[in-house]
Amino acid sequence: SRADRGDTSAADTATDQGPAAELRLGYFPNVTHASALIGLEKGFFAKELGGTKLVPTKFNDGPTEVAAFLGGSLDAGFIGSGPAINAFAKSDGEAVRLVAGGTSAGAQLVTSADITKPEDLVGKTVVTPALGNTQDVALKKWLVDKGLKDRVQVTNRENAQTLDAFKKGEVQAAWLPEPWSSRLVLDAGAKVLLDEKELWADGKFPTTTLLVRTQYLKEHPQTVQALLRGLLTANAYAGSDSADAKLAVNKQLEALTGKGLNAAVIDRAFTSISLDTDPLAATYPRLAKDAVTAGVATEETKLNGFFDLGALNTVLKAAGKPEADAAGLDTK
Amino acid sequence: MTATLPTHRGTDTAVRLTGVRKTFGQGTRAVTALDGIDLRVAPGEFVCLLGASGCGKTTVLNLIAGLDQPSAGTIELSTSRPAVMFQEAALMPWLTAARNVELPLRLAGVKKAERETRAAELLDLVRLSGAGDKRPHELSGGMRQRVALARALASALNREGDGAALLLMDEPFSALDAITRDFLQSELLRVWQATGTAVVFVTHDVREAVRLGQRVVLLSSKPGRVVQEWAVADLDAPEGALVTEEINGRLREVISSHAA
Amino acid sequence: MTATLPTHRGTDTAVRLTGVRKTFGQGTRAVTALDGIDLRVAPGEFVCLLGASGCGKTTVLNLIAGLDQPSAGTIELSTSRPAVMFQEAALMPWLTAARNVELPLRLAGVKKAERETRAAELLDLVRLSGAGDKRPHELSGGMRQRVALARALASALNREGDGAALLLMDEPFSALDAITRDFLQSELLRVWQATGTAVVFVTHDVREAVRLGQRVVLLSSKPGRVVQEWAVADLDAPEGALVTEEINGRLREVISSHAA
Amino acid sequence: MPHEATAPVADHAVEGLDALDAPPEQPRRRTGLVRSVLAPIGALVLFVAVWQALWAAAIWPEYQLPAPIAVWDQVWKVTQTGQVWEFLWVSVHRAIIGFLISLAVATPLGLLLAKVAIVRAAIGPVISGLQSLPSVAWVPAAVLWFGTTDAAIYTVVLLGAVPSIANGLVAGIDQIPPILPRVGKVLGAGRVDAARYILLPAALPGYLAGLKQGWAFSWRSLMAAELIATSPQLGFGLGQYLHNGMSLSDMSMVMAGILLIFLVGVGIELLLFRPLERAVLRARGLSGSL
Amino acid sequence: MPHEATAPVADHAVEGLDALDAPPEQPRRRTGLVRSVLAPIGALVLFVAVWQALWAAAIWPEYQLPAPIAVWDQVWKVTQTGQVWEFLWVSVHRAIIGFLISLAVATPLGLLLAKVAIVRAAIGPVISGLQSLPSVAWVPAAVLWFGTTDAAIYTVVLLGAVPSIANGLVAGIDQIPPILPRVGKVLGAGRVDAARYILLPAALPGYLAGLKQGWAFSWRSLMAAELIATSPQLGFGLGQYLHNGMSLSDMSMVMAGILLIFLVGVGIELLLFRPLERAVLRARGLSGSL
Ligand SMILES: Nc1ncnc2c1ncn2[C@@H]1O[C@H](COP(=O)(O)OP(=O)(O)OP(=O)(O)O)[C@@H](O)[C@H]1O
Ligand SMILES: Nc1ncnc2c1ncn2[C@@H]1O[C@H](COP(=O)(O)OP(=O)(O)OP(=O)(O)O)[C@@H](O)[C@H]1O
Ligand SMILES: [Mg+2]
Ligand SMILES: [Mg+2]
């Protein structure tokens, strides 16, 4: 039976097999996935990957991307920190490893003008994108801290719907990632009640991260390193030539969804996010704890072994940059 | 079954067909079933229609009933809606025998209790008193035909002040044994006499036609035309046998002339 | 239609029913249609079944054909599959007349060309040569019945080395005019003599039964039982008329005794 | 004993359809009872056994194929906390209301489509086209127009179920042997009477098939609507439960959600449609293998 | 002139079904032609006119009710860039393949369900239950089991369409007058022959209704499945286009997506099912108001 055999998954026995023939890379058509969009638009990934064929796969939501990871049909992918933790937890720490950060910060609690302090939210409904996603956890934790937990309703809606509902006055408050918080502010006249940055030391917290399937990471570390080099290049490009980077992001968005964002929204969104390969590992235990506090999870996810920053640090070292810290979460 | 209804012998015809033609289908597949039919049925008259299989008898009844439109010619009726008994039983498969008989009464808005009594009487008349709560698929072929007869009679007898009544029957006794058939023939005659309704009766049995009808009309086939008519009211037995012989001979002629 | 098939008079019965009972439904709604039927048909014999409407004739044929199972008693057949002509035409509405006739041949794996020739021959036999490409709903009632007859004959004639042949017919001529009926009776007799198939033939026409059959079997009704049998092979006209009279009388008795 | 329990429901439903003269149920044979109770249970046991065996063989990792017991635990958990009754109540009552409204709209529509040639030519294809639009497509539009209210949900349900029921009725009417409406006509049925006493009962077997599909569409559309549109006003239904399972990437929760949705579907089939269908077909001597 | 164009398709489809002995079409009357072309166009014009009037009245803001012309612009845009052909190709070819596989699976399944009492008792309710599961519910499971491949998409489509087609066939077979299979039996049809020569053709009108519903389910399910992901392997279909409109909360894009999906549904109905249905019903003298 299953119990006697124990779970020896393929990942444990995998060995280095050199560069892969193919890299299936997941991402969203979203500003918080800017590194991915820039890297793809400018060909940074393809260049570094050389002979490895890059297969970009666009996802519409985190859970589907997680399913693709768990089903083995995705090798690497940009994804929000919430689903990333889920992917790790639901596979009992097997299926995936977090190899680098993607984007940090870029989430705000925006409200209608008549709400000026947290207490004004009492009796109102606050919207977040999805149950258990990064913003959902953050909002619920914040409500607990403010002692508003039972006096404020939280509900989930697709971001696009939230925008329309806000315009119609059905919704007065939402905790949203970029570019949606910017769209609410610029297109619908919302005010920022709280920037999530204020809740974190240095204003840094993970929004998008880069996951790799554990087995892939063990079999093709060189390919993962190539991907990370591409990511560094993309981030560097965004830092040095941000106007063109924004253009690149918008081009991708238009190609992927048929329509770009207007310039003001992109500009505002870019000011609140930062593209950084540091995974901010130290924040994860708090994220895991917050999920419990927020009532989204029943027990704290054990994150030991979640991080595998070997490839990242090799690449950073080669580039002469400081290594990233796994905060002790890289071992079981 | 003693219902008597006002008879309407005031108008001079119950049905009149003038130069009626009926063609089914278009183009090369067109079939002319009837061509130049002229027929007049007086109020209260009992007319039997004879003819080879496929000559157009059913088509004539359908046209009179208003279920089909003639391709040419005119049809005049003195009643708005004749009662019809189809060649098939055509019972509603979801209704019991009794409910099938009640259906025309229900459509005419007759109250439930009265409906039930009348249906029971009619089922009795066709010797199916015990089968009222059976469904069509539980009945034999002949029983189904008798239910259809009872239904047609229910429809025929339930007409108040609606011009001259008219009953169209398409081989109503074909699936019955000789004895039941004899019995129902007498019942039909009784009902006919009591109500004074005009009847157009299709049959293949020449003796039946001579026995029941006041007039026998013979149709030819391909296309159907009126070949000959015989007045057969009030004949005695030997006369009847003679006419029967004659009609049979004519029928044979018509059929073989067509086959040739 | 000159197909001759090997006759199988070797076995001593074509069909034997012993103590057959058939009850429809359960509990209070149960109807015993047949009770204690004993009947033997010799190979090549032509047996006519008579009885009041609803007495169980169709049920007997269904049991012999294996379409229903008897509630008690046994049924032995020397052929694996008798040919059946149902009381209704039961044509496949999606097939033309010719294709309907071809159907049994198709099921027996006969080649297309031969199928078509044979179907054309049979349609000719029932005087429907021109109607082969019509669909059932375009045919008159009598025409449908004749197509069904042609189909049953196709099924009966297409059996090679399959025990003694058996043909079951349920009022096959009821919707036909006298002349066509006469003609088809002769054709049926011819086919019967040529092939030596046993025939069980249900009819309401006593004269037809006496003319066609070698033996006439009378069933009583509610429940159906064999009341009496008459050997009617090779009678001349006056003898035939006498027997017909006798059978009619007996039938009348049976029906009125039931009604009482 | 789902079977015995169904009898009264069936009778009741049949009474409600008295207009259509559906008959009382005939006495049922024991083999039928045994078969209709044991066979589905047997199928279920077999299914769970295969699942368990596959899981035990550990061909797939746990997160791809959760153990049956893990799924059962999820169901048990919501049952224990009583939440399941809330989900079921919220979803089922909505589905039933939606279905009934659809029925009321689709029946006259179907009659019109089937009997009035010009209506059929003009909007027949539109109805079929509507049927092929996924419910998810309507959700954002419905929410935009009606807000996250019950109105939005019923809109989505109606857009799913009405075309399906109407098409089922049309198909049923198309198949009526033409002699029956003719009989109705000579017996004196006007347009309304013909519909009530001839067309609807004659089309009932096909109509019922359409109703089954219509119910499936209602229920699916409702789930789709609940998956996407959520708000405290709307309550917490099965679709929402499933959605939460998906958001948390919790496979056993997803499977528990699927299981619950599926059980409602099967339950309605066994408690409502199966006996109705059986009664209708039996009354016409169309028992087949029922 | 959709109508004239359909004739050859119909004939062809009928030929393909030669087994079922569908007949050649009968000559068509002019009024029929006019009616079946003009009536839908009239309905369309009326619809657009009402929409335009509502929009012009400016009762709702633009983002709730875009102008017809704005939607048309979106359609025009994707047509100009040629993208629309890609969407259509990706989606339609997948839907057709999925539908054909469903057909091949559902037909024997339906026959078994209809004719083998134990199979019906055991898995009949399961099939109906499956039908009531929303396609979106299967998406995560399908991705988990089959990855982001066509296999996942076809799984979702099959789970939607197979039960629907099978149930349609069962309903069709249930309604066959019992005399026809009896005739088949006495004419010497074995189980397979009976299915091929009697049951399937006799059930054809009901089966066709099931196929229509099955097609609707395939197409809807496909739209739901296309929300999974886009990648070079999966291509970019109509479902994705619609989803993009939703995530951009661009109402005119959403409506353009709905319009395209709807047009495909109507197109298949007009080009395939309508003529087929007409031919089948005509051949049986069941023309009704067709
Ligand atoms: N499926 C059934 N369910 C219930 N009762 C039935 C069924 N089939 C036949 N019966 C009953 O059995 C009896 C005999 O029927 P059957 O059809 O054999 O009569 P029949 O002799 O062929 O009559 P007919 O000359 O009118 O055709 C009838 O009383 C009928 O009501
Ligand atoms: N709907 C139809 N389409 C095409 N031809 C038809 C149609 N109805 C009847 N016919 C043809 O019209 C002719 C007359 O048919 P009708 O049913 O009136 O005959 P009938 O005299 O009643 O014959 P029977 O005594 O056999 O019932 C037949 O040749 C038949 O094929
Ligand atoms: Mg006729
Ligand atoms: Mg009989």
Side-chain angles (χ1 to χ4, degrees):
Chain A
S1 93
R2 189 172 198 111
D4 321 327
R5 287 177 54 176
D7 272 330
T8 41
S9 73
D12 295 343
T13 54
T15 50
D16 189 347
Q17 297 174 359
E22 190 181 67
L23 174 72
R24 293 168 296 183
L25 178 68
Y27 64 101
F28 293 4
N30 211 333
V31 173
T32 48
H33 291 234
S35 327
L37 299 177
I38 295 168
L40 286 170
E41 173 67 23
K42 293 283 166 192
F44 296 139
F45 298 135
K47 201 174 121 215
E48 296 290 346
L49 285 168
T52 303
K53 187 173 157 241
L54 177 68
V55 182
T57 307
K58 182 200 110 178
F59 285 91
N60 299 313
D61 57 76
T64 309
E65 190 172 341
V66 170
F69 265 123
L70 299 188
S73 57
L74 195 63
D75 302 318
F78 292 87
I79 194 166
S81 55
I85 294 175
N86 270 335
F88 181 74
K90 297 304 172 193
S91 65
D92 291 325
E94 269 179 37
V96 291
R97 294 290 178 266
L98 196 162
V99 299
T103 311
S104 90
Q108 291 162 347
L109 172 58
V110 292
T111 61
S112 54
D114 55 328
I115 297 174
T116 51
K117 55 184 186 299
E119 286 67 30
D120 292 345
L121 289 171
V122 169
K124 298 243 162 33
T125 302
V126 186
V127 179
T128 66
L131 180 74
N133 99 325
T134 322
Q135 289 79 38
D136 191 55
V137 170
L139 167 66
K140 287 173 177 165
K141 161 75 168 46
W142 180 73
L143 288 176
V144 171
D145 290 348
K146 294 277 172 219
L148 297 171
K149 181 168 177 280
D150 296 321
R151 295 192 281 158
V152 177
Q153 298 250 35
V154 178
T155 188
N156 314 117
R157 272 192 185 207
E158 283 199 4
N159 295 327
Q161 281 185 28
T162 308
L163 174 63
D164 295 327
F166 195 92
K167 280 186 192 165
K168 280 173 70 185
E170 269 178 41
V171 162
Q172 287 87 37
W175 192 301
L176 298 176
E178 291 298 350
W180 294 99
S181 48
S182 293
R183 285 199 72 180
L184 254 70
V185 169
L186 297 173
D187 296 354
K191 296 273 170 297
V192 178
L193 182 67
L194 176 77
D195 193 318
E196 196 177 340
K197 275 178 187 169
E198 296 162 22
L199 303 177
W200 295 85
D202 311 336
K204 284 190 168 180
F205 60 97
T207 304
T208 309
T209 65
L210 180 60
L211 282 190
V212 176
R213 201 151 49 79
T214 313
Q215 191 182 354
Y216 193 88
L217 179 61
K218 294 207 170 137
E219 287 177 356
H220 310 292
Q222 287 155 278
T223 310
V224 175
Q225 282 172 25
L227 174 68
L228 290 169
R229 280 195 299 277
L231 179 60
L232 278 184
T233 319
N235 287 353
Y237 184 77
S240 64
D241 190 351
S242 71
D244 196 46
K246 286 175 200 166
L247 220 61
V249 167
N250 223 9
K251 249 195 193 148
Q252 275 286 315
L253 288 180
E254 193 163 350
L256 290 168
T257 66
K259 209 172 191 181
L261 291 166
N262 73 42
V265 170
I266 288 228
D267 286 342
R268 187 179 180 283
F270 258 78
T271 58
S272 68
I273 59 172
S274 67
L275 306 184
D276 190 354
T277 51
D278 184 355
L280 306 172
T283 60
Y284 277 78
R286 179 173 154 195
L287 285 175
K289 206 175 288 158
D290 287 354
V292 179
T293 317
V296 169
T298 44
E299 55 185 295
E300 216 178 301
T301 307
K302 293 197 184 56
L303 294 166
N304 296 331
F306 184 27
F307 290 79
D308 189 333
L309 303 182
L312 178 64
N313 285 335
T314 313
V315 171
L316 285 173
K317 204 191 260 163
K321 294 195 175 158
E323 294 188 10
D325 175 26
L329 296 177
D330 49 356
T331 50
K332 289 250 179 194
Chain B
M1 286 315 312
T2 52
T4 48
L5 288 164
T7 57
H8 302 263
R9 314 216 179 201
T11 48
D12 68 332
T13 40
V15 195
R16 192 205 305 271
L17 282 75
T18 329
V20 165
R21 197 178 70 229
K22 176 68 189 174
T23 308
F24 291 104
Q26 279 106 27
T28 53
R29 289 179 60 92
V31 175
T32 300
L34 299 176
D35 196 11
I37 295 273
D38 294 299
L39 184 70
R40 184 185 155 272
V41 179
E45 196 184 7
F46 199 125
V47 175
C48 290
L49 226 51
L50 277 177
S53 166
C55 74
K57 305 179 292 297
T58 301
T59 308
V60 169
L61 294 198
N62 281 341
L63 291 175
I64 296 178
L67 293 172
D68 270 329
Q69 296 309 313
S71 312
T74 57
I75 298 174
E76 291 157 62
L77 259 79
S78 63
T79 172
S80 64
R81 183 174 54 75
V84 185
M85 178 177 171
F86 290 89
Q87 190 168 6
E88 313 150 59
L91 303 179
M92 306 292 158
W94 58 94
L95 296 177
T96 60
R99 296 282 202 113
N100 262 295
V101 178
E102 281 176 41
L103 188 59
L105 306 174
R106 193 167 187 170
L107 290 170
V110 176
K111 293 264 158 51
K112 188 162 197 287
E114 196 188 335
R115 244 162 42 202
E116 284 174 1
T117 340
R118 283 216 239 162
E121 278 172 10
L122 283 166
L123 281 175
D124 213 35
L125 177 84
V126 298
R127 300 205 161 170
L128 283 176
S129 358
D133 62 343
K134 296 210 175 175
R135 306 210 167 243
H137 71 272
E138 297 170 328
L139 300 175
S140 79
M143 292 161 95
R144 279 200 279 263
Q145 198 170 37
R146 284 180 279 156
V147 176
L149 177 64
R151 183 175 65 181
L153 290 179
S155 163
L157 295 174
N158 186 67
R159 35 191 52 251
E160 282 154 35
D162 174 26
L166 176 60
L167 176 57
L168 308 174
M169 308 184 90
D170 201 349
E171 308 187 26
F173 306 135
S174 64
L176 302 179
D177 60 282
I179 316 302
T180 311
R181 177 190 285 233
D182 262 6
F183 171 78
L184 288 178
Q185 283 172 352
S186 336
E187 288 295 323
L188 178 62
L189 283 178
R190 205 174 53 68
V191 170
W192 168 62
Q193 275 150 1
T195 58
T197 178
V199 179
V200 181
F201 187 98
V202 171
T203 179
H204 281 310
D205 187 334
V206 181
R207 283 195 301 169
E208 184 175 75
V210 172
R211 177 182 169 197
L212 293 177
Q214 297 181 303
R215 191 150 53 101
V216 173
V217 176
L218 177 64
L219 294 186
S220 67
S221 46
K222 302 209 177 165
R225 286 208 180 86
V226 176
V227 179
Q228 194 168 342
E229 305 194 10
W230 289 267
V232 293
D234 313 315
L235 297 182
D236 58 20
E239 282 171 346
L242 258 178
V243 174
T244 305
E245 241 351 272
E246 187 190 330
I247 298 179
N248 256 327
R250 195 77 178 90
L251 187 59
R252 190 176 314 268
E253 252 174 62
V254 167
I255 293 182
S256 51
S257 84
H258 162 70
Chain C
M1 285 322 307
T2 51
T4 48
L5 288 164
T7 58
H8 302 262
R9 313 216 177 199
T11 48
D12 69 331
T13 41
V15 195
R16 193 203 307 272
L17 281 75
T18 329
V20 164
R21 199 179 70 231
K22 177 67 190 175
T23 308
F24 290 103
Q26 277 109 27
T28 53
R29 288 180 60 93
V31 175
T32 300
L34 300 176
D35 196 9
I37 295 273
D38 293 299
L39 184 70
R40 182 183 156 276
V41 179
E45 199 184 6
F46 198 125
V47 175
C48 289
L49 226 54
L50 278 176
S53 167
C55 74
K57 304 177 295 297
T58 300
T59 308
V60 169
L61 292 198
N62 281 342
L63 292 174
I64 297 178
L67 293 172
D68 271 330
Q69 296 309 313
S71 311
T74 56
I75 298 174
E76 291 156 62
L77 260 80
S78 63
T79 173
S80 61
R81 183 174 54 74
V84 185
M85 179 176 169
F86 292 89
Q87 191 168 5
E88 313 150 58
L91 302 179
M92 305 294 158
W94 60 93
L95 295 178
T96 60
R99 295 282 202 115
N100 262 295
V101 177
E102 281 176 42
L103 188 59
L105 306 174
R106 193 165 186 171
L107 291 170
V110 176
K111 293 264 159 49
K112 187 161 198 287
E114 197 188 335
R115 246 164 38 205
E116 284 176 358
T117 337
R118 285 217 239 161
E121 278 172 10
L122 283 166
L123 281 175
D124 214 36
L125 178 84
V126 297
R127 299 200 163 174
L128 283 176
S129 356
D133 62 342
K134 294 207 175 176
R135 308 214 165 241
H137 71 270
E138 297 171 327
L139 299 176
S140 79
M143 291 162 99
R144 279 200 281 262
Q145 197 172 35
R146 286 180 277 156
V147 176
L149 175 65
R151 184 175 64 183
L153 289 177
S155 163
L157 294 174
N158 187 66
R159 32 190 55 251
E160 281 155 34
D162 173 28
L166 175 61
L167 176 57
L168 308 174
M169 307 184 90
D170 202 348
E171 307 187 28
F173 305 136
S174 64
L176 302 180
D177 59 281
I179 315 302
T180 312
R181 177 189 284 233
D182 261 7
F183 170 76
L184 288 178
Q185 283 171 353
S186 335
E187 287 295 323
L188 177 63
L189 283 177
R190 205 173 54 67
V191 169
W192 169 62
Q193 274 151 359
T195 59
T197 180
V199 179
V200 181
F201 187 99
V202 170
T203 180
H204 281 311
D205 187 334
V206 180
R207 283 194 301 166
E208 182 175 73
V210 173
R211 177 182 170 199
L212 293 178
Q214 296 181 303
R215 192 150 52 100
V216 172
V217 176
L218 178 63
L219 295 186
S220 69
S221 47
K222 302 207 175 168
R225 283 206 184 87
V226 175
V227 180
Q228 194 169 342
E229 304 196 8
W230 290 266
V232 293
D234 311 316
L235 297 180
D236 58 21
E239 283 171 345
L242 261 177
V243 174
T244 306
E245 238 355 271
E246 187 189 332
I247 298 178
N248 256 328
R250 195 76 178 93
L251 187 61
R252 192 176 312 270
E253 253 173 58
V254 167
I255 293 182
S256 51
S257 84
H258 162 72
Chain D
M1 302 274 278
H3 204 253
E4 287 201 327
T6 68
V9 175
D11 283 357
H12 186 72
V14 168
E15 251 164 53
L17 276 173
D18 178 56
L20 307 181
D21 294 289
E25 284 251 295
Q26 292 186 3
R28 216 171 263 147
R29 273 165 299 160
R30 294 211 58 216
T31 56
L33 186 71
V34 168
R35 183 200 285 151
S36 58
V37 174
L38 288 190
I41 293 180
L44 186 70
V45 168
L46 188 73
F47 175 74
V48 174
V50 169
W51 178 2
Q52 176 73 29
L54 280 179
W55 173 80
I59 304 170
W60 293 285
E62 185 90 25
Y63 54 82
Q64 276 192 34
L65 185 78
I69 193 75
V71 174
W72 180 247
D73 275 350
Q74 286 289 344
V75 176
W76 185 239
K77 203 170 100 188
V78 283
T79 316
Q80 281 272 295
T81 58
Q83 276 177 294
V84 75
W85 309 123
E86 189 198 332
F87 306 159
L88 286 178
W89 164 246
V90 168
S91 296
V92 173
H93 96 266
R94 235 184 232 152
I96 289 176
I97 294 178
F99 179 67
L100 291 179
I101 304 176
S102 310
L103 199 61
V105 175
T107 303
L109 182 65
L111 280 170
L112 276 181
L113 277 172
K115 281 289 142 194
V116 187
I118 189 81
V119 173
R120 183 157 189 164
I123 64 168
V126 175
I127 298 289
S128 298
L130 277 182
Q131 223 184 323
S132 57
L133 275 172
S135 308
V136 277
W138 289 117
V139 175
V143 168
L144 196 54
W145 292 330
F146 301 102
T148 48
T149 58
D150 276 344
I153 296 222
Y154 288 128
T155 306
V156 175
V157 171
L158 285 178
L159 280 166
V162 168
S164 173
I165 299 176
N167 270 339
L169 181 54
V170 170
I173 291 181
D174 279 347
Q175 292 173 58
I176 298 178
I179 186 82
L180 298 184
R182 289 162 78 98
V183 170
K185 200 174 162 198
V186 300
L187 294 182
R191 287 212 147 223
V192 175
D193 275 353
R196 161 126 172 54
Y197 292 111
I198 316 284
L199 293 182
L200 282 179
L204 197 54
Y207 185 41
L208 256 184
L211 287 188
K212 269 173 75 168
Q213 300 259 11
W215 163 255
F217 270 104
S218 304
W219 185 237
R220 290 168 71 114
S221 305
L222 177 69
M223 290 301 108
E226 286 188 355
L227 271 174
I228 299 184
T230 44
S231 91
Q233 297 103 298
L234 288 179
F236 193 93
L238 276 178
Q240 185 62 42
Y241 177 74
L242 180 67
H243 185 74
N244 285 350
M246 289 186 191
S247 307
L248 299 174
S249 297
D250 186 332
M251 200 55 196
S252 58
M253 201 167 149
V254 169
M255 306 259 289
I258 289 183
L259 187 72
L260 287 171
I261 295 176
F262 174 79
L263 284 181
V264 173
V266 173
I268 296 279
E269 161 78 9
L270 280 180
L271 292 177
L272 184 64
F273 289 110
R274 175 70 51 118
L276 253 181
E277 205 175 44
R278 197 189 280 264
V280 167
L281 291 178
R282 277 242 176 97
R284 287 155 208 242
L286 298 171
S287 354
S289 71
L290 277 176
Chain E
M1 302 274 278
H3 205 251
E4 287 202 330
T6 69
V9 175
D11 284 357
H12 188 70
V14 169
E15 253 165 54
L17 274 173
D18 177 55
L20 307 182
D21 293 293
E25 285 250 295
Q26 293 186 1
R28 214 172 262 146
R29 272 166 300 159
R30 292 212 60 215
T31 56
L33 185 74
V34 168
R35 182 201 286 152
S36 57
V37 174
L38 289 191
I41 293 181
L44 186 72
V45 169
L46 188 71
F47 174 74
V48 173
V50 170
W51 177 4
Q52 175 73 32
L54 280 180
W55 172 79
I59 306 169
W60 293 287
E62 185 91 20
Y63 69 92
Q64 277 190 35
L65 187 78
I69 193 74
V71 174
W72 180 246
D73 274 350
Q74 285 290 343
V75 176
W76 185 241
K77 199 171 102 188
V78 282
T79 316
Q80 280 273 296
T81 60
Q83 277 175 293
V84 73
W85 309 120
E86 189 197 333
F87 307 159
L88 286 178
W89 164 246
V90 167
S91 296
V92 172
H93 97 269
R94 243 187 225 147
I96 289 177
I97 293 177
F99 179 66
L100 292 179
I101 303 177
S102 311
L103 198 61
V105 176
T107 303
L109 181 65
L111 280 170
L112 276 180
L113 277 171
K115 280 290 142 193
V116 187
I118 189 80
V119 173
R120 183 157 189 165
I123 62 167
V126 175
I127 299 288
S128 299
L130 278 182
Q131 223 185 323
S132 56
L133 277 171
S135 305
V136 275
W138 289 116
V139 171
V143 173
L144 196 53
W145 293 328
F146 300 100
T148 48
T149 58
D150 275 345
I153 294 203
Y154 287 127
T155 306
V156 175
V157 172
L158 284 181
L159 280 165
V162 168
S164 172
I165 298 177
N167 270 338
L169 182 53
V170 170
I173 290 181
D174 279 347
Q175 293 174 57
I176 298 179
I179 186 81
L180 298 185
R182 289 162 79 97
V183 170
K185 200 174 161 200
V186 301
L187 294 183
R191 289 210 147 223
V192 175
D193 274 354
R196 161 125 173 54
Y197 292 112
I198 316 285
L199 294 182
L200 283 180
L204 197 55
Y207 184 42
L208 256 184
L211 287 188
K212 267 173 78 169
Q213 301 259 11
W215 163 256
F217 270 103
S218 304
W219 185 238
R220 291 168 70 114
S221 306
L222 177 70
M223 291 301 109
E226 285 192 348
L227 300 183
I228 294 176
T230 339
S231 78
Q233 292 109 309
L234 288 176
F236 190 96
L238 276 177
Q240 272 298 324
Y241 177 74
L242 179 67
H243 184 81
N244 285 340
M246 292 185 196
S247 34
L248 294 168
S249 102
D250 181 332
M251 203 54 195
S252 61
M253 205 166 145
V254 169
M255 307 260 290
I258 290 183
L259 187 72
L260 287 171
I261 295 176
F262 173 78
L263 285 181
V264 173
V266 172
I268 295 280
E269 160 79 9
L270 281 180
L271 291 178
L272 184 63
F273 289 110
R274 174 69 51 120
L276 252 180
E277 205 174 45
R278 194 189 282 263
V280 166
L281 292 177
R282 277 242 175 98
R284 287 153 209 243
L286 298 170
S287 356
S289 72
L290 277 176

